[in-house]
Amino acid sequence: IRALLEIETTNHATCKEISDRAAAKLADVKVQAAELGRINKVLADLIALCPADDTPIHACPILDYLYPEENK
């Protein structure tokens, strides 16, 4: 949004330039949203694996996923 506002302050900006920048920003937001969706799924799956009890940390399934080589 800031980049769009900065264009507005120049006298040489066109509607096409603003539209192109808005479209590029929308594409970036869609990529970020997809990545957040993947992170959301992984975290939800890990939480579902966790017994959330007094299991010792060395047996934590979340840490096993994050550090697979260290927990073998």
Side-chain angles (χ1 to χ4, degrees):
I1 300 297
R2 183 177 296 136
L4 295 177
L5 294 174
E6 289 171 2
I7 292 172
E8 183 181 335
T9 62
T10 69
N11 293 331
H12 305 295
T14 65
C15 286
K16 175 154 181 24
E17 184 179 1
I18 292 175
S19 178
D20 288 348
R21 288 199 184 189
K25 186 60 176 175
L26 178 60
D28 291 343
V29 168
K30 286 181 178 181
V31 168
Q32 291 172 353
E35 179 63 20
L36 287 174
R38 287 188 291 275
I39 291 169
N40 182 53
K41 169 126 178 52
V42 169
L43 287 173
D45 290 348
L46 288 173
I47 290 167
L49 288 175
C50 183
D53 58 14
D54 291 332
T55 300
I57 195 168
H58 71 330
C60 175
I62 294 173
L63 293 180
D64 285 346
Y65 177 84
L66 296 173
Y67 304 101
E69 295 301 317
E70 293 177 20
N71 293 321
K72 290 185 181 189

